[in-house]
């Protein structure tokens, strides 16, 4: 409701729009950093974290953009339509402010701008899993697998 | 120095001048439209794809950049080799170099997938990358050209003129080597992987730069009704012949060496014999139109002192050079990468197939836009400052 | 069950046969116990003690790797960009059918980024967007990729694609978007969690994934015993993706 109200306000061009905080409020009382700090410096946190993630492979969730999206964006509106950053309605959390202040973003050219609805296929095997897999550790593989592997070069084409 | 002092003056901004200028700007505007379209829609509107990753815009851009470096050559000959007859042309040649380079760079930048991240290209450097080196080389070239012009224009700085000229000359050679090396170091692409490519680019730059210079010099003097004598033009005429011949010779060397490298035989056979349009472009466009015809135009006795034949030769050299770059850049990509020598490959990603490339209207607009921008800058420059000798009539120059 | 028993019998026979002259079987048996690749703690950077690699046994791929390609597509969401023409579609991985010109012998294998130790794509990239992680994974840092496509010109394996249009609803764990270049990143997001790359999971009987730097890892042991050829080995790029039966 609050969100709708905010949209209405933007529509009427009545001063500073309220950012669409409803989805996040429904999930947590407090953001990962104090609100004032987030308002001012969220881009710094994201910038530092993005380099850490891409270059060093550090995948903590606290300042990850994916987690921002998961918490702040509801994937669909009440009528079932998808919420996207570029939508006219500007009810996407990031858009609600960024459009107003006129700061262009290119995050969502690559990053998903809403939580994923349809789940990805859940792969069962892990590096350390005990389920059977050639690369798995710890288990004695079936002898048959070793046979395949050891002999493959002599087997000729199997396709 | 010259016995007679050469007097320079600004170009008169006549009506014809403004018409020309607005045409140039209009063409540059087309380029801008194309850029916004690409930026908004993405590159799917172009003919480029994951096989032909560099297309027509890159041909235009490299053409302009290479020609820019060659255009400065005229000034260099005057300064570095103390050939006084070329000295009056020095200012104009430096101006042309700057204009062409900016035009070429504009295309290159505006074709980027993320032209908006230009600031990143300027702040994050990977010093192993020849491309990054080229960014530095281009910027340095612009700065040096400006410095050079300054020493030529300002009497107080006359003492620095030879140094500026020498630096600009060496920098320019390195720049063209760098441009050639963009391709020369691609080990994976059989057609490019050759040490001859860098010197070839230098020879090509001399020829293209000079051809562009001749044409623009001629028409500017017509436009402003100034006198342009046979002496200057004949000098340029033979210079052009030397450069064209040198470029052809190096191209010949490149193909001959390729015949001894097994990896390159496939692609050589493709370009030289059975590449369809690329073979046609190579033999007719590059060799005949860009080499043999201009050479015979220049050396034909009956056409000595004939300005129009020189002009025609220059235009043909430009066309031939453009075609040569097209065959090199696009033709080199059209031939598939060799994953498994001695085997035929087939896949959903077009492995082992001759790729097709048809440039779209957007690529043409972007490329021509860069040319328009370069010419517009050139025209503006001549009006703003004193680049043009009042007269290049024979009587002004014979004293040397 | 009886089938497995049959294999087992054959295996024993093979084992005694190989043991006489070689070490293949013995090596593999030992490698099973030694393969300890712990999942990295999320807050720790990757280390260069590890170098991830993959050994693909072509003859064991009954489908030539098509299922691996499918798994990659699903994991990263490429291959269905709405506006791109077929030649413009991204292909992080594809199956290539190779037919010898002389013998007409043919086989199919999956080809993706080979995660070169000396990657030409990284050398040429002007901004450093094309990068090699400490653990040997080569990927594009799309934050600073300017879309010049020079890396695509430099890659000998045609492993890279350019995104030609605006995309939405990407996989959250695999950002990809307009104007940037992309390629197989060995499923970094999964490896960092201690999971196997999607394609490896899709072909469990034909691919070994592991640490090339650890002489005791299964992949190192298997390569020691059986070899592991590179595509275009003549280029000397020391690829992290190796093949058996090339
Ligand atoms: S295969 Fe290509 S993209 Fe991958 S690391 Fe090697 S050069 Fe780079
Ligand atoms: S396209 Fe991107 S990753 Fe590739 S070379 Fe250019 S900036 Fe680097």
């Amino acid at each position: 409701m609050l969100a709708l109200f905010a949209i209405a306000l933007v529509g009427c061009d009545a001063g500073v729009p309220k950012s669409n905080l409803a989805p996040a409020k429904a999930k947590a009382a407090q953001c990962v950093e104090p609100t004032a700090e987030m308002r001012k410096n969220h881009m710094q946190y994201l910038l530092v974290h993005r380099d850490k993630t891409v270059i060093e492979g550090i995948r903590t969730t606290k300042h990850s953009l994916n987690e921002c999206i998961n918490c702040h964006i509801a994937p669909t509106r009440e009528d079932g339509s998808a919420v996207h950053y570029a939508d006219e309605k500007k009810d996407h959390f990031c858009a609600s402010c960024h459009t107003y202040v006129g700061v262009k973003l290119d995050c969502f050219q690559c990053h998903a701008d809403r939580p994923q609805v349809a789940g990805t296929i859940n792969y069962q095997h892990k590096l350390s899993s005990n389920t059977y897999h050639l690369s798995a550790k710890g288990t004695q593989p079936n002898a048959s697998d070793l046979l395949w592997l050891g002999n493959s070069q002599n087997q000729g084409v199997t396709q | 120095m010259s016995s007679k002092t050469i007097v320079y003056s600004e170009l008169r901004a006549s009506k014809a001048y403004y018409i020309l200028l607005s045409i140039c700007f209009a063409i540059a505007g087309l380029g801008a439209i194309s850029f916004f379209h690409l930026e908004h829609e993405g590159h799917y509107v172009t003919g480029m794809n994951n096989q032909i990753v560099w297309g027509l815009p890159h041909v235009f851009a490299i053409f302009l950049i290479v020609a820019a470096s060659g255009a400065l050559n005229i000034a260099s000959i005057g300064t570095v080799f103390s050939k006084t007859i070329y000295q009056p042309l020095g200012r104009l040649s430096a101006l042309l170099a700057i204009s062409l380079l900016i035009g070429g760079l504009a295309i290159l930048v505006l074709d980027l997938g993320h032209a908006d991240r230009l600031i990143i290209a300027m702040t994050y450097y990977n010093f192993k990358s020849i491309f990054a080196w080229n960014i530095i080389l281009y910027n340095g070239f612009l700065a040096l050209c400006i410095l050079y012009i300054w020493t030529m224009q300002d009497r107080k700085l006359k003492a620095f003129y030879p140094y500026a000229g020498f630096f600009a000359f060496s920098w320019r050679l390195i720049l063209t080597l760098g441009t050639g090396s963009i391709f020369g170091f691609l080990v994976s692409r059989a057609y490019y992987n050759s040490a001859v490519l860098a010197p070839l680019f230098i020879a090509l730059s001399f020829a293209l730069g000079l051809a562009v210079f001749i044409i623009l010099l001629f028409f500017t003097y017509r436009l402003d009704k100034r006198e342009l004598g046979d002496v200057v033009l004949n000098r340029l005429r033979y210079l052009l012949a030397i450069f064209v011949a040198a470029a052809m010779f190096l191209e010949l060397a490149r193909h001959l060496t390729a015949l001894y490298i097994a990896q390159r035989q496939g692609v050589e056979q493709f370009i030289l014999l059975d590449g369809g349009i690329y073979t046609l472009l190579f033999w007719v466009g590059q060799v005949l139109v860009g080499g043999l015809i201009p050479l015979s135009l220049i050396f034909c006795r009956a056409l000595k002192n004939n300005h129009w034949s020189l002009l025609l030769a220059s235009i043909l050299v430009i066309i031939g050079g453009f075609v040569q770059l097209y065959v090199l850049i696009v033709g080199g990509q059209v031939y598939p990468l060799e994953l498994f020598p001695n085997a035929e490959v087939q896949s959903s990603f077009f492995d082992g197939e001759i790729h097709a490339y048809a440039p779209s209207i957007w690529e043409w607009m972007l490329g021509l836009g860069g040319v328009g921008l370069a010419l517009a800058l050139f025209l503006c420059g001549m009006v703003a400052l004193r680049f043009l000798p009042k007269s290049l009539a024979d009587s002004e120059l014979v004293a040397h | 069950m009886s089938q497995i028993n049959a294999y087992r019998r054959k295996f024993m026979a093979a084992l005694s046969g190989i043991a006489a002259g070689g070490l293949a079987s013995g090596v593999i048996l030992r490698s099973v116990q030694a393969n300890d690749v712990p999942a990295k703690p999320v807050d720790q950077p990757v280390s260069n003690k590890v170098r991830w690699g993959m050994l693909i046994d072509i003859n064991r791929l009954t489908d030539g790797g098509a299922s691996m390609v499918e798994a990659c597509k699903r994991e990263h969401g490429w291959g269905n960009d709405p506006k791109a023409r077929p030649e413009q579609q991204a292909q992080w991985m594809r199956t290539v059918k190779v037919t010898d010109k002389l013998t007409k012998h043919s086989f199919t294998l999956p080809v993706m980024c080979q995660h070169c130790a000396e990657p030409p794509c990284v050398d040429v990239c002007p901004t450093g967007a094309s990068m090699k992680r400490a653990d040997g994974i080569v990927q594009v840092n799309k934050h600073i990729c300017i879309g010049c496509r020079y890396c695509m010109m430099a890659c000998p394996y045609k492993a890279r694609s350019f995104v030609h249009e605006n995309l939405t609803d990407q996989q959250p764990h695999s950002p990809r978007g307009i104007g940037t270049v992309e390629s197989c990143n060995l499923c970094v997001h999964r490896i960092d969690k201690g999971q196997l790359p999607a394609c490896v999971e899709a072909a469990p009987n034909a691919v070994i994934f592991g640490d090339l730097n650890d002489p005791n890892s299964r992949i190192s042991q298997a390569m020691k015993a059986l070899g592991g050829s590179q595509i275009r080995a003549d280029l000397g790029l020391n690829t992290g993706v190796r093949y058996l039966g090339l």
Side-chain angles (χ1 to χ4, degrees):
Chain A
M1 207 52 227
L2 205 82
L4 285 179
F5 186 59
I7 298 158
L9 274 183
V10 181
C12 305
D13 210 357
V16 186
K18 286 245 162 48
S19 49
N20 181 4
L21 271 170
K25 284 250 157 60
K27 288 179 200 114
Q30 174 62 47
C31 197
V32 292
E33 301 291 340
T35 311
E37 173 69 8
M38 277 320 257
R39 276 207 187 119
K40 224 164 94 196
N41 291 326
H42 59 282
M43 54 291 202
Q44 285 307 331
Y45 287 109
L46 287 171
L47 196 70
V48 170
H49 189 77
R50 81 167 203 204
D51 286 345
K52 276 194 181 158
T53 304
V54 177
I55 298 168
E56 299 176 44
I58 293 175
R59 289 184 193 267
T60 48
T61 49
K62 193 173 179 195
H63 295 141
S64 114
L65 178 64
N66 265 345
E67 293 307 315
C68 302
I69 298 298
N70 283 343
C71 191
H72 276 280
I73 315 291
T76 50
R77 299 190 185 86
E78 268 163 26
D79 60 2
S81 59
V83 177
H84 284 301
Y85 177 79
D87 285 349
E88 277 305 312
K89 277 186 159 173
K90 303 298 171 209
D91 53 349
H92 185 280
F93 172 66
C94 307
S96 57
C97 193
H98 270 268
T99 351
Y100 177 73
V101 293
V103 175
K104 219 182 130 214
L105 279 187
D106 53 10
C107 305
F108 302 119
Q109 286 181 3
C110 288
H111 287 277
D113 55 2
R114 58 181 188 137
Q116 197 165 32
V117 204
T120 24
I121 293 89
N122 185 15
Y123 289 94
Q124 299 304 318
H125 302 294
K126 305 200 168 190
L127 279 183
S128 48
S129 78
N130 279 335
T131 42
Y132 161 67
H133 189 280
L134 267 191
S135 309
K137 78 158 191 178
T139 35
Q140 195 74 21
N142 275 329
S144 53
D145 306 323
L146 294 180
L147 183 72
W148 284 342
L149 196 75
N151 269 356
S152 61
Q153 275 181 322
N154 316 328
Q155 274 181 356
V157 186
T158 51
Q159 294 132 36
Chain B
M1 297 223 80
S2 47
S3 50
K4 269 189 196 172
T5 324
I6 300 285
V7 186
Y8 296 88
S9 67
E10 291 95 346
L11 186 68
R12 209 166 25 86
S14 60
K15 202 169 164 197
Y17 170 85
Y18 280 118
I19 294 175
L20 263 181
L21 189 63
S22 25
I23 292 175
C24 289
F25 271 121
I27 297 175
L30 286 184
I33 293 174
S34 164
F35 159 65
F36 284 119
H37 189 63
L38 292 193
E39 181 78 2
H40 190 252
E41 287 293 320
H43 277 65
Y44 81 91
V45 295
T46 69
M48 290 179 277
N49 52 50
N50 284 330
Q51 282 61 242
I52 313 294
V53 297
W54 285 354
L56 193 65
H58 300 81
V59 178
F60 270 105
I62 296 199
F63 176 90
L64 288 176
I65 291 169
V66 161
S69 146
L72 193 68
N73 199 38
I74 295 112
S76 300
I77 298 175
T79 316
V80 180
F81 302 108
S82 303
K83 297 268 191 254
T84 40
I85 190 169
Y86 293 106
Q87 280 175 3
L89 303 175
R91 299 181 178 187
L92 195 65
S93 120
L95 172 68
L96 181 59
I98 293 183
S99 322
L100 291 177
L101 188 70
I102 293 179
L105 286 184
I107 304 176
L108 215 52
V109 165
L110 296 183
D111 178 72
L112 291 179
H114 263 287
D116 52 328
R117 293 191 185 154
L118 191 60
I119 192 77
I120 289 179
M122 297 290 174
T123 46
Y124 287 74
Y125 273 112
N126 168 19
F127 285 103
K128 260 186 149 181
S129 163
I130 297 168
F131 225 76
W133 280 103
N134 272 303
I135 299 175
I136 300 173
L137 286 173
Y138 296 147
N139 287 329
F141 183 79
L142 286 179
L144 274 175
C145 277
I146 291 170
L147 211 71
Y148 194 21
I149 292 179
W150 192 4
T151 62
M152 286 190 275
Q153 303 257 13
D154 191 339
R155 278 175 191 285
K156 276 176 281 177
L157 292 177
K158 197 134 196 175
F160 297 104
Y161 162 68
Y163 303 109
F166 186 74
F167 268 121
F169 174 70
S170 345
W171 193 274
R172 182 180 62 79
L173 283 184
I174 299 171
L175 180 133
T176 322
L177 279 176
T179 313
S181 308
I182 289 181
F183 297 95
F185 279 117
L186 294 175
V187 282
S188 59
R189 307 253 169 193
Y191 196 53
Y192 302 142
N193 190 5
S194 154
V196 189
L197 211 55
L200 173 67
F201 262 70
I202 293 194
L204 194 62
S205 89
F206 286 172
L208 293 183
L210 186 57
V212 173
F213 184 80
I214 290 173
I215 294 173
L216 291 180
L217 180 73
F218 184 83
F219 283 111
T220 316
Y221 270 65
R222 282 241 146 176
L223 181 71
D224 212 21
K225 304 204 176 54
R226 301 189 190 203
E227 238 183 297
L228 185 61
D230 288 339
V231 174
V232 169
L233 284 181
N234 279 338
R235 275 297 182 97
L236 296 179
R237 173 197 299 260
Y238 293 118
L239 205 55
L240 184 65
I242 293 170
F243 293 157
V244 170
M248 285 188 76
F249 172 76
L250 285 169
E251 181 76 0
L252 181 73
R254 195 168 79 89
H255 290 290
L256 283 183
T257 50
L259 296 181
Y260 290 95
I261 305 169
Q263 287 284 329
R264 285 187 56 189
Q265 274 160 8
V267 68
E268 285 295 333
Q269 179 172 1
F270 172 74
I271 298 283
L272 300 181
L273 290 176
D274 38 37
I277 178 77
Y278 298 96
T279 305
L280 192 75
L281 283 175
F282 178 85
W283 290 111
V284 177
Q286 179 181 338
V287 177
L288 197 65
V289 172
L292 298 179
I293 299 183
L295 282 182
S296 29
L297 277 175
I298 290 172
F299 286 116
C300 177
R301 285 188 172 271
L303 295 172
K304 197 170 176 345
N305 292 346
N306 184 328
H307 294 177
W308 294 103
S309 86
L310 175 61
L311 266 191
L312 184 62
S314 302
I315 291 173
L316 293 183
V317 168
I318 289 178
I319 295 175
F322 188 83
V323 168
Q324 178 166 8
L325 288 173
Y326 188 86
V327 172
L328 185 85
I329 296 173
V330 177
Q333 296 173 77
V334 160
Y335 190 77
L337 282 179
E338 223 162 287
L339 282 185
F340 297 91
N342 303 322
E344 276 160 19
V345 292
Q346 212 183 345
S347 81
S348 58
F349 201 35
F350 312 97
D351 284 288
E353 291 170 32
I354 302 293
H355 312 308
Y357 174 65
S360 71
I361 178 80
W362 305 106
E363 282 142 293
W364 281 108
M365 276 164 63
L366 190 60
L368 289 172
V371 178
L373 178 67
L375 292 179
L377 287 175
F378 183 65
L379 285 172
C380 290
M382 285 189 301
V383 168
L385 285 171
R386 291 179 192 155
F387 283 103
L388 285 179
K390 270 224 162 83
S391 162
L392 285 173
D394 293 351
S395 57
E396 301 279 323
L397 298 159
V398 281
H400 326 295
Chain C
M1 206 57 216
S2 67
Q3 213 186 359
I4 291 181
N5 281 335
Y7 274 126
R8 213 161 258 170
R9 272 196 303 281
K10 258 203 266 173
F11 170 65
M12 289 308 169
L15 199 134
S16 47
I18 300 168
L23 26 73
S25 45
V27 163
I28 287 167
L29 280 178
R30 229 182 310 127
S31 76
V32 175
Q33 299 126 28
N35 183 19
D36 44 358
V37 190
K40 171 184 79 65
V42 281
D43 57 345
Q44 292 303 309
V46 292
S47 104
N48 59 7
K49 294 207 182 69
V50 182
R51 183 183 173 209
W52 295 116
M54 195 189 278
L55 180 65
I56 302 172
D57 186 338
I58 297 170
N59 293 330
R60 302 288 309 280
L61 284 170
T62 42
D63 58 356
S67 57
M68 296 173 73
V69 177
E70 270 320 300
C72 180
K73 264 189 195 177
R74 268 185 309 198
E75 181 71 18
H76 297 280
W78 55 264
N80 265 323
D81 300 349
K83 286 175 179 159
R85 297 194 304 271
E87 321 87 80
Q88 291 171 330
Q89 290 290 352
Q91 293 240 359
W92 291 24
M93 186 194 229
R94 78 266 190 196
T95 56
V96 177
K97 184 167 184 230
V98 183
T99 312
D100 193 282
K101 276 186 189 142
L102 224 56
T103 60
K104 300 294 172 212
H105 168 76
S106 91
F107 56 92
T108 307
L109 77 170
V111 179
M112 69 297 239
C113 170
Q114 305 286 301
H115 298 277
C116 313
E118 314 283 344
C121 59
V122 171
D123 285 349
V124 301
C125 175
T127 65
S130 198
M131 56 166 282
K132 191 172 82 173
R133 259 178 30 151
D135 56 2
I137 296 176
V138 178
Q139 58 172 357
V140 180
N141 178 355
K142 288 162 194 162
H143 298 123
I144 56 171
C145 171
I146 55 173
C148 66
R149 285 104 85 200
Y150 196 19
C151 52
M152 299 175 71
M153 293 287 281
C155 172
Y157 303 100
K158 217 159 158 274
R160 298 205 151 185
S161 306
F162 181 66
V163 179
H164 287 77
E165 64 187 284
N166 289 299
L167 301 176
T168 50
D169 281 338
Q170 298 89 335
Q171 302 281 32
H173 52 256
S174 182
R176 49 187 299 264
I178 185 171
T180 57
V181 165
E182 56 186 15
S183 60
C184 155
N185 55 15
L186 230 45
C187 286
V188 262
H189 60 290
R190 296 173 60 89
I191 288 179
D192 285 344
K193 282 190 283 187
Q195 295 175 333
L196 289 169
C199 62
V200 178
E201 293 209 335
N205 294 322
V207 186
I208 305 182
F209 180 85
D211 179 5
L212 296 173
N213 279 352
D214 173 4
N216 294 318
S217 66
R218 277 186 60 102
I219 184 168
S220 300
Q221 295 281 325
M223 283 188 24
K224 193 170 158 202
L226 307 167
S229 357
Q230 316 178 46
I231 305 178
R232 288 297 305 266
D234 57 316
L235 296 173
L237 302 175
N238 184 3
T239 58
V241 176
R242 301 294 181 106
Y243 297 86
L244 281 180
L246 259 193

